[in-house]
Amino acid sequence: MQLAYTILYVQDVPATLDFYQKAFGLKQKMLHESGDYGELDTGQTILSFSSLSLMKELGKKPASPQKEHPCFEIAFTTDNVSKAFDRALKSGAEPVQEPDKMPWGQTTAYVIDLNGFLVEICTPIDI
């Protein structure tokens, strides 16, 4: 098995794709003509978004994230966490934790995206 993609349920797929392009410099891979599903080019594993309304139509019972109580995290690696953190904030992300060096040597920062999802911006872990 191989992880192919992660799908997050959001109110507005086009707005979410636009936010991730501006905040994190990602490229849109595709947006379905209905506007209910889209993908970002994030490398081997695709980050995608589906509308809450489509999931309801398909018989699912999706819930929106609770930014005060996150249960899921998206993580992006970069060599310059401070610059990426500032870019995310200028694009509308909410700050959670400013860049900080962890005891294991990794630098991490956290923001909340426009949907309420927790996003980690971090340096790669050197093993």
Side-chain angles (χ1 to χ4, degrees):
M1 289 257 178
Q2 181 177 335
L3 179 62
Y5 50 91
T6 297
I7 304 172
L8 302 179
Y9 303 150
V10 300
Q11 286 290 341
D12 188 331
V13 174
T16 299
L17 292 173
D18 186 57
F19 169 81
Y20 274 80
Q21 289 176 90
K22 291 177 182 171
F24 305 107
L26 301 172
K27 301 281 187 233
Q28 180 176 304
K29 185 172 182 177
M30 66 87 69
L31 173 62
H32 187 269
E33 63 187 34
S34 67
D36 283 321
Y37 179 81
E39 298 177 348
L40 294 168
D41 185 2
T42 55
Q44 217 170 2
T45 302
I46 299 166
L47 178 58
S48 54
F49 302 94
S50 183
S51 69
L52 289 165
S53 60
L54 176 61
M55 291 298 99
K56 289 175 187 172
E57 286 176 29
L58 296 175
K60 310 290 188 250
K61 296 180 182 175
S64 295
Q66 296 179 12
K67 62 183 175 182
E68 299 83 16
H69 305 285
C71 65
F72 187 87
E73 175 180 318
I74 304 164
F76 296 116
T77 57
T78 179
D79 291 331
N80 191 331
V81 174
S82 293
K83 183 177 177 182
F85 180 77
D86 290 342
R87 178 181 181 163
L89 295 183
K90 288 176 184 165
S91 300
E94 296 178 36
V96 174
Q97 175 192 311
E98 294 202 12
D100 192 18
K101 188 142 187 171
M102 298 293 108
W104 53 89
Q106 185 183 35
T107 300
T108 65
Y110 290 88
V111 297
I112 298 288
D113 79 356
L114 76 162
N115 300 292
F117 289 109
L118 183 64
V119 179
E120 178 182 11
I121 303 167
C122 58
T123 54
I125 298 174
D126 292 325
I127 298 178

